[in-house]
């Protein structure tokens, strides 16, 4: 029989024999071991106690609250807040009573002969985690700081419990720092939690700790380390005993895996493995339910659609992410991600968008992880404003290796494309070769997908004629295979398609073109679809860039055919 069932049976057996206090103690000691994988069992076991017992115990109320986190229905998940609120109210009443008897006693500190204090601190940690799940990141930060101070000055708890509590506190802080974009704090937060994961953390906490480490490795663009931490998270989840009741949740399918799944999906996007990122959607959907991670899951979906050349479709999941987070406070990372993705979508659609991030989307980003200059550059290129495109990424290019690798590769591709359009072939080649080298070294691929196939093909062909470092030819082959480029070949546009493309470049609408050529509006739309397919682009702005660079439209400053 699995441990969760043995525990539940022991509680019920004690109750049947009239040992209510022992039953309550058994329930309080072990419910958190099973609240993630066996929430229904935890809920029924706690409620099997006399009502006057569990309703008056803040720790047991917290157990009920935690058992609702993975509930399928939002109404059930909302129940967790009610139980936690009552638990905190009771703690406040207990603190007031203790203060009357001992005015010098800090809030939350039990008397010397009381064992209630450790559970009280765990209730406070659970409430801080609940605030984080609800997107109240500043409030959670305040509560965790207060709890950290309390733990720092308390000397009444046993050593092992203190170490375990410190590990859990550091884990919660590291997750919160991710949401708040307080990335400079992560080493001091997650390190101790990882060091003590095997000895002090429960299975679901270990899975979360490894997944959180993967998220920070992603920020450092260390993809092998991301994969290592993700593998550890999944191994820890798989090592946990599987429930035999279909109503319970295997740890691999629980919310504990959300950080690892988010890290894995984002890494696959950065490496250009878009199909693999899309395959993770079902697992993500189950893991993020009822948590703040659902907004990040929507972000992943939006990014996947954007890099696949479907910017209009990418708008809907982006709206969902913002809708889910509309009451969040202190969400520095999500605010930044949504703004950058929105800029990418608007750029792909050829629409103007403010280049300066609003205040709530500004974070300390000295490495330009979320550089907006690249999107400004692509938008300027789509408008044939090549000098402005170069200026938009100039600071990024100057930063060099101090810049985030992924953003630097994209900035170099902007610089290369713009300089090619201006006829600066040598400097264009230099930027493109540098981007290839960084891509080969880092495994970063996503930036190359911003270039239409018809533009990238000639660039790849030209790069093969130049001496390249040992790693680069493999990347050239990979990109050629991925894009299906027929190097040196130009798209075979029909005469009518060329006329339509020239009209689009002149700013005419589809209806104006239908009137000009005496064809139906739907026929014009069909021609446009064929143009997009032949040029390997997903939007009007990309089609115009490709047409100009290939000399198809008369405004082209040079011809890549030579």
């Amino acid at each position: 029989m699995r441990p969760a069932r043995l525990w539940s049976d022991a509680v019920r057996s004690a109750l049947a024999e009239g040992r209510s206090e022992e039953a309550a103690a058994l329930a309080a000691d072990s419910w958190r071991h099973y609240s993630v994988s066996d929430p229904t069992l935890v809920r029924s076991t706690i409620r099997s106690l006399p009502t006057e017992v569990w309703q008056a115990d803040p720790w047991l109320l917290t157990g009920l609250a935690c058992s609702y986190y993975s509930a399928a229905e939002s109404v059930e998940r909302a129940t967790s807040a009610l139980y936690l609120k009552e638990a905190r109210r009771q703690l406040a009443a207990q603190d007031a009573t203790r203060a009357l008897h001992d005015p010098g006693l800090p809030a939350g500190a039990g008397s010397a002969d009381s064992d209630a204090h450790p559970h009280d601190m765990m209730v406070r940690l659970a409430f801080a985690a609940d605030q984080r799940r609800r997107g109240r990141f500043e409030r959670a930060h305040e509560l965790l700081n207060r709890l950290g101070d309390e733990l720092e000055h308390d000397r009444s708890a046993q050593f092992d419990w203190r170490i375990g509590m410190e590990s859990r506190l550091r884990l919660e802080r590291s997750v919160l720092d991710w949401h708040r974009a307080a990335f400079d704090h992560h080493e001091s937060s997650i390190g101790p939690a990882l060091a003590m994961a095997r000895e002090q953390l429960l299975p679901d906490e270990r899975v979360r700790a490894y997944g959180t480490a993967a998220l920070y490795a992603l920020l450092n663009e260390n993809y092998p380390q991301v994969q290592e931490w993700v593998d550890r998270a999944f191994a820890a989840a798989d090592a946990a005993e599987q429930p035999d009741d279909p109503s319970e949740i295997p740890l691999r399918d629980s919310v504990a895996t959300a950080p690892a799944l988010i890290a894995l999906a984002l890494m696959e996007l950065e490496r250009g493995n878009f199909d693999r990122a899309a395959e993770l959607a079902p697992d993500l959907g189950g893991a993020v339910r009822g948590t703040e991670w659902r907004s990040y899951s929507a972000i992943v979906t939006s990014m996947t659609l954007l890099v696949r050349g479907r910017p209009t479709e990418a708008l809907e999941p982006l709206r969902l992410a913002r809708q889910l987070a509309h009451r969040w406070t202190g969400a520095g990372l999500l605010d930044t991600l949504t703004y950058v993705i929105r800029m990418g979508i608007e750029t792909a659609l050829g629409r103007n968008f403010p280049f300066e991030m609003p205040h709530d989307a500004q974070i300390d980003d000295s490495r330009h992880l979320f550089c907006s200059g690249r999107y400004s550059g692509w938008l300027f290129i789509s408008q044939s404003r090549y000098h402005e495109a170069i200026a938009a990424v100039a600071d990024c290019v100057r930063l060099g290796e101090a810049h985030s690798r992924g953003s630097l590769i994209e900035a170099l591709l902007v610089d290369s494309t713009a300089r090619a359009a201006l006829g600066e072939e040598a400097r264009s080649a230099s930027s493109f070769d540098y981007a290839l080298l960084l891509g080969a070294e880092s495994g970063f691929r996503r930036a190359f997908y911003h270039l239409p196939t018809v533009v990238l093909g000639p660039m790849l062909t030209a790069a093969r004629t130049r001496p390249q470092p040992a790693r680069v030819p493999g990347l050239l082959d990979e990109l050629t295979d991925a894009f299906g480029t027929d190097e040196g070949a130009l798209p075979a546009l029909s005469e009518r398609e060329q006329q339509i493309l020239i009209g689009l470049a002149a700013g005419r609408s589809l209806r104006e073109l239908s009137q000009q050529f005496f064809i139906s509006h739907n026929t014009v739309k069909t021609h446009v679809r064929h143009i997009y397919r032949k040029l390997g682009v997903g939007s009007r702005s990309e089609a115009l860039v490709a047409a100009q660079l290939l000399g198809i439209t008369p405004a082209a400053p040079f011809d890549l055919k030579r």
Side-chain angles (χ1 to χ4, degrees):
M1 186 180 295
R2 59 196 174 96
R5 178 59 65 184
L6 289 172
W7 161 74
S8 180
D9 288 350
V11 172
R12 295 171 193 273
S13 177
L15 280 174
E17 296 171 8
R19 295 178 282 121
S20 297
E21 290 186 6
E22 182 181 342
L26 283 170
D29 285 344
S30 298
W31 67 254
R32 67 190 181 93
H33 291 260
Y34 313 117
S35 61
V36 173
S37 60
D38 295 82
T40 305
L41 185 62
V42 165
R43 197 152 53 239
S44 64
T45 302
I46 292 176
R47 283 181 171 160
S48 71
L49 298 169
T51 303
E52 64 273 14
V53 172
W54 66 261
Q55 286 188 352
D57 188 322
W59 183 233
L60 291 175
L61 288 171
T62 301
L64 286 172
C66 292
S67 75
Y68 279 106
Y69 286 151
S70 300
E73 299 296 330
S74 59
V75 173
E76 289 185 335
R77 292 196 298 271
T79 306
S80 65
L82 301 178
Y83 283 119
L84 275 177
K85 183 177 181 181
E86 176 60 20
R88 291 194 77 240
R89 187 196 67 76
Q90 292 185 17
L91 277 187
Q94 291 176 12
D95 288 344
T97 302
R98 290 169 185 160
L100 288 176
H101 292 87
D102 188 351
L105 198 66
S111 60
D113 58 352
S114 171
D115 63 354
H117 172 51
H119 282 168
D120 291 353
M121 293 189 74
M122 291 294 290
V123 172
R124 291 182 171 85
L125 180 62
F127 185 74
D130 181 73
Q131 295 296 291
R132 186 253 306 160
R133 288 186 186 93
R134 298 175 188 282
R136 300 166 185 168
F137 301 127
E138 292 306 321
R139 175 61 173 153
H141 181 61
E142 174 189 334
L143 292 170
L144 289 178
N145 283 342
R146 192 182 306 167
L147 188 56
D149 291 341
E150 183 181 333
L151 184 63
E152 178 71 22
H153 295 96
D154 177 68
R155 294 294 180 268
S156 63
Q158 294 181 353
F159 176 79
D160 284 347
W161 183 89
R162 284 178 54 82
I163 294 298
M165 183 67 186
E166 180 68 29
S167 298
R168 291 179 175 86
L169 183 59
R170 294 298 184 95
L171 172 58
E172 188 58 41
R173 276 179 167 162
S174 68
V175 176
L176 189 61
D177 286 345
W178 164 267
H179 293 309
R180 297 174 62 243
F183 304 135
D184 56 325
H185 302 152
H186 80 273
E187 290 293 348
S188 59
S189 294
I190 193 62
L194 293 172
M196 303 303 294
R198 289 185 178 275
E199 292 81 9
Q200 297 293 339
L201 299 183
L202 298 175
D204 64 286
E205 294 169 333
R206 284 198 292 274
V207 173
R208 282 202 301 131
Y210 296 147
T212 303
L215 287 172
Y216 283 109
L218 183 73
L219 288 177
N220 292 326
E221 299 177 305
N222 188 335
Y223 299 147
Q225 196 173 77
V226 173
Q227 191 65 61
E228 178 184 346
W229 286 119
V230 167
D231 289 344
R232 285 196 190 188
F234 291 161
D238 291 337
E241 187 163 353
Q242 300 301 306
D244 54 15
D245 186 335
S247 68
E248 307 304 347
I249 305 169
L251 194 52
R252 181 64 181 266
D253 299 333
S254 73
V255 67
T257 60
L261 286 167
I262 293 291
L264 181 58
L266 290 174
M267 180 184 71
E268 298 295 4
L269 285 176
E270 298 298 270
R271 296 169 76 174
N273 299 327
F274 306 140
D275 290 340
R276 173 61 179 142
E279 289 171 1
L280 293 169
D283 292 337
L284 263 175
V288 303
R289 184 175 56 200
T291 73
E292 79 278 18
W293 296 108
R294 190 181 172 200
S295 291
Y296 291 96
S297 178
I299 287 290
V300 169
T301 302
S302 183
M303 289 179 65
T304 304
L305 292 168
L306 176 58
V307 297
R308 280 181 154 175
R310 295 153 64 184
T312 303
E313 295 175 58
L315 282 168
E316 186 54 38
L318 187 65
R319 288 193 192 99
L320 175 62
R322 291 306 304 159
Q323 178 184 345
L324 292 169
H326 75 285
R327 292 185 178 177
W328 286 14
T329 57
L333 182 58
L334 190 87
D335 289 338
T336 302
L337 285 173
T338 52
Y339 182 83
V340 169
I341 294 171
R342 180 62 184 271
M343 178 176 271
I345 290 172
E346 297 300 335
T347 299
L349 295 174
R351 302 194 300 223
N352 286 318
F353 196 66
F355 295 152
E356 290 297 324
M357 290 188 180
H359 180 72
D360 60 355
Q362 293 179 3
I363 60 176
D364 182 9
D365 189 23
S366 57
R367 291 180 54 234
H368 286 214
L369 278 166
F370 308 104
C371 172
S372 61
R374 51 190 165 155
Y375 292 112
S376 305
W378 289 124
L379 183 58
F380 285 138
I381 286 175
S382 74
Q383 299 169 346
S384 302
R385 297 158 64 185
Y386 302 115
H387 289 290
E388 290 171 270
I390 293 169
V393 297
D395 288 342
C396 307
V397 174
R398 276 195 295 269
L399 272 176
E401 293 293 332
H403 198 291
S404 157
R405 282 280 181 104
S407 297
L408 177 57
I409 291 172
E410 197 159 351
L412 288 166
L413 292 176
V414 169
D415 187 75
S416 176
T417 304
R419 292 188 185 281
L422 291 171
E424 300 177 14
E425 295 183 359
R427 297 184 71 177
S428 172
S430 176
S431 291
F432 189 68
D433 288 352
Y434 190 13
L436 288 171
L437 177 60
L438 293 178
E441 291 177 343
S442 66
F444 186 90
R445 301 287 185 271
R446 180 174 55 81
F448 293 97
Y449 285 78
H450 280 284
L451 289 170
T453 303
V454 72
V455 174
L456 183 62
M459 286 184 164
L460 295 175
T461 301
R464 290 187 186 278
T465 68
R466 301 186 292 267
Q468 300 289 353
R471 293 184 177 184
V472 171
L475 175 58
L476 289 172
D477 292 340
E478 179 185 330
L479 291 173
T480 299
D481 292 341
F483 282 84
T485 57
D486 181 8
E487 296 174 6
L490 287 176
L493 295 184
S494 67
E495 181 180 356
R496 177 67 77 197
E497 288 166 351
Q498 292 187 46
Q499 292 171 341
I500 295 291
L501 190 53
I502 291 170
L504 292 175
R508 295 188 180 92
S509 68
L510 299 187
R511 190 159 300 282
E512 288 172 335
L513 290 172
S514 70
Q515 295 171 352
Q516 177 182 348
F517 297 115
F518 303 101
I519 56 179
S520 72
H521 185 260
N522 286 336
T523 301
V524 175
K525 290 170 66 176
T526 300
H527 283 311
V528 171
R529 282 197 299 270
H530 291 167
I531 291 169
Y532 284 9
R533 177 176 55 79
K534 291 181 179 181
L535 294 180
V537 299
S539 66
R540 177 183 296 200
S541 61
E542 289 182 350
L544 297 184
V545 171
Q548 290 176 8
L549 292 177
L550 289 167
I552 296 174
T553 57
F558 86 110
D559 191 342
L560 275 177
K561 291 180 285 186
R562 62 189 179 194

